[in-house]
Amino acid sequence: MISADTADATLFSNRARVYARCAFALKADPNVAGAESLFDAALSNGLAVVVGSSWRGEEFYPQKPNRPSKPRVRSAGDMLTLLATKATDKETTSAEPKLASP
């Protein structure tokens, strides 16, 4: 389990909060200006939490060895494809949660 005071736990917690804020705003008013952006942010951050908590680091695009930079989070479509591949390959995660609840 990732301790609540680590950088990973903070990152996951922040992503979960972004997901929650965006989902709440869309539920309150689905026709709000920028609804598409709110949906994209909610979906991307929610998927990053799911993928990252099950397969740490796989929520990011692979780094180029000769060009180190800040890790980039995969697009929602790429993460859905990754999840479909993991399900097809029957790749499982441990039953024990890896993140502490925020």
Side-chain angles (χ1 to χ4, degrees), residues 77-102:
D78 284 351
M79 283 190 275
L80 287 170
T81 301
L82 179 67
L83 287 170
T85 301
K86 299 267 186 204
T88 302
D89 295 344
K90 296 183 173 77
E91 214 175 296
T92 60
T93 61
S94 63
E96 184 179 325
K98 295 182 181 176
L99 294 175
S101 299

Side-chain angles (χ1 to χ4, degrees), residues 1-83:
M1 181 182 302
I2 296 175
S3 173
D5 59 345
T6 65
D8 283 343
T10 301
L11 180 64
F12 285 120
S13 179
N14 289 342
R15 284 192 181 132
R17 282 190 188 103
V18 170
Y19 164 79
R21 284 194 309 261
C22 293
F24 180 81
L26 286 171
K27 184 175 182 181
D29 183 5
N31 299 313
V32 67
E36 295 85 1
S37 294
L38 288 172
F39 178 81
D40 182 57
L43 182 62
S44 297
N45 281 283
L47 286 170
V49 170
V50 169
V51 171
S53 64
S54 297
W55 301 280
R56 285 181 74 189
E58 291 197 37
E59 73 273 28
F60 299 110
Y61 285 113
Q63 293 274 331
K64 295 179 181 174
N66 58 345
R67 298 185 66 185
S69 62
K70 182 178 176 184
R72 289 186 20 221
V73 177
R74 292 178 187 263
S75 68
D78 284 351
M79 283 190 275
L80 287 170
T81 301
L82 179 67
L83 287 170

